[in-house]
Amino acid sequence: MAVYTDINEQDLTAFLAQYDAGELLSYKGIAEGVENSNFLLHTSKAPLILTLYEKRVEKSDLPFFLGLMHHLSEGGLNCPLPLPRKDGALLGELSGRPAALISFLEGMWLRKPEAQHCREVGAALARMHVAGEGFELTRPNALSLEGWQTLWVKSQDRADEVEPGLEAEIGAELDFLAAHWPKNLPSGVIHADLFPDNVFFLGDRLSGLIDFYFACNDLLVYDLSICLNSWCFEKDGAYNITKGKAMIEGYLSVRPLSGDEIEALPILCRGSALRFFLTRLYDWLMTPEGALVVKKDPLEYLKKLRFHRAVTNASEYGLIS
């Protein structure tokens, strides 16, 4: 979460009057993440999250995101829900941006997840994949092969500012993945951004998943590769196979993987590492000074990408056949 667009109390009070949400008591910006502007509101009825959708989010995608939260909740997944306005609409406008009020989910994200937490995340991811079945709206993954190329075109001329030789290395990686990306694997709705700060825990119990604004239709096991990248590496860049094994076992406890999905896991991990490297690289180079946002180091994911290049078998991630 982040803040790009500021709001004032008068406009916010008028916005809240369109909802049965009580009176505004206080509000503050939330400075984590890089996508939308988010605020924590305290009202006379309940705490809420206010999200202003920034330019990277297409307004036409918002019915998918908001509808998906309802569908997943009805399927038994614990996630935030958008609040309807008094006229029944889920979407309003504030400070010139599309805006929504979202229910507040109790819990905190873990700064130092352990293997037991990774197991719960794996199971929750699989439950989301199962709960997503039957959702009628679809959205292609805008940050897959074609989207990577688009981001790279905008960043490649300055890539060597981050690390010498990066332009040639990433260009070759994109060519390789385009030639070897798997097809015809099981697909459905994926979260596509299930990092630790998008999973809440109460103590050691997982309390819910948040931030579905990258959700889309894609290969289900690609979502697992994103989680292996985001949960199972240590701060020194080393892959923790104990966490990886727990993550995969948690997922398999809910949804089995086919032989083809298992075989494809190394290249999918390679692709998801590249995906987050490219978005971080773009934001690192392009985010304007003064934005209340925490920029994330792209080199973290470059190290992960280089690790995955050396992996030849999914057993190296902790998958025991």
Side-chain angles (χ1 to χ4, degrees):
M1 296 183 176
V3 174
Y4 289 100
T5 300
D6 202 3
I7 58 175
N8 63 61
E9 185 174 350
Q10 182 177 358
D11 289 345
L12 178 54
T13 299
F15 178 81
L16 277 178
Q18 302 172 65
Y19 296 81
D20 184 18
E23 296 181 6
L24 179 66
L25 301 178
S26 66
Y27 70 98
K28 65 178 181 178
I30 302 172
E32 294 173 345
V34 294
E35 283 306 312
N36 301 309
S37 294
N38 294 278
F39 300 84
L40 174 61
L41 312 185
H42 289 280
T43 77
S44 56
K45 287 193 172 182
L48 297 166
I49 299 296
L50 167 67
T51 297
L52 276 62
Y53 299 100
E54 299 292 348
K55 294 180 180 180
R56 187 183 282 181
V57 177
E58 295 288 342
K59 187 174 181 180
S60 59
D61 285 333
L62 294 177
F64 177 90
F65 299 141
L66 300 177
L68 177 62
M69 294 182 207
H70 274 288
H71 180 85
L72 294 174
S73 178
E74 290 172 355
L77 193 77
N78 199 16
C79 63
L81 288 173
L83 272 65
R85 302 192 316 179
K86 292 175 181 176
D87 64 4
L90 295 178
L91 198 62
E93 184 173 302
L94 181 61
S95 298
R97 296 282 189 266
L101 283 181
I102 310 294
S103 64
F104 182 81
L105 186 68
E106 293 287 347
M108 297 180 63
W109 70 272
L110 300 176
R111 272 60 175 180
K112 295 181 179 180
E114 302 294 340
Q116 61 180 326
H117 307 120
C118 293
R119 185 184 304 276
E120 284 209 44
V121 171
L125 180 69
R127 286 195 297 271
M128 181 200 148
H129 291 165
V130 173
E133 295 174 1
F135 184 53
E136 294 183 354
L137 299 181
T138 60
R139 177 179 180 266
N141 188 354
L143 288 170
S144 191
L145 293 167
E146 186 176 338
W148 301 343
Q149 291 284 358
T150 300
L151 278 172
W152 180 236
V153 166
K154 296 176 181 178
S155 306
Q156 67 180 110
D157 289 345
R158 295 180 59 194
D160 285 2
E161 297 175 19
V162 177
E163 181 176 295
L166 202 53
E167 182 176 2
E169 179 180 355
I170 298 304
E173 184 70 20
L174 283 163
D175 290 342
F176 176 86
L177 291 174
H180 296 87
W181 197 248
K183 301 176 182 178
N184 302 319
L185 297 179
S187 63
V189 177
I190 69 170
H191 186 284
D193 193 37
L194 200 61
F195 277 58
D197 58 352
N198 287 331
V199 181
F200 281 2
F201 283 80
L202 287 170
D204 288 328
R205 181 179 62 82
L206 193 152
S207 60
L209 311 183
I210 68 167
D211 199 351
F212 290 85
Y213 300 115
F214 285 104
C216 56
N217 295 83
D218 207 335
L219 306 178
L220 297 178
V221 71
Y222 176 67
D223 222 9
L224 178 59
S225 80
I226 291 171
C227 288
L228 291 172
N229 270 313
S230 57
W231 287 82
C232 301
F233 282 84
E234 300 302 326
K235 289 187 176 181
D236 63 0
Y239 180 74
N240 186 321
I241 196 168
T242 302
K243 290 182 179 179
K245 181 174 183 290
M247 174 81 68
I248 294 169
E249 287 178 349
Y251 189 91
L252 292 175
S253 71
V254 176
R255 178 185 172 268
L257 294 173
S258 70
D260 288 342
E261 288 178 295
I262 292 170
E263 183 179 355
L265 193 56
I267 196 167
L268 293 172
C269 285
R270 192 166 161 175
S272 59
L274 179 66
R275 172 260 185 269
F276 287 100
F277 165 77
L278 287 172
T279 49
R280 288 184 175 199
L281 177 67
Y282 178 85
D283 289 336
W284 190 265
L285 296 172
M286 307 299 177
T287 297
E289 293 297 327
L292 180 56
V293 59
V294 179
K295 294 198 294 186
K296 297 178 181 178
D297 184 5
L299 294 181
E300 176 189 348
Y301 269 80
L302 181 64
K303 294 174 184 176
K304 294 176 183 181
L305 172 59
R306 290 169 175 167
F307 168 83
H308 295 305
R309 283 198 197 118
V311 172
T312 59
N313 189 284
S315 62
E316 295 177 57
Y317 297 121
L319 198 155
I320 307 300
S321 57

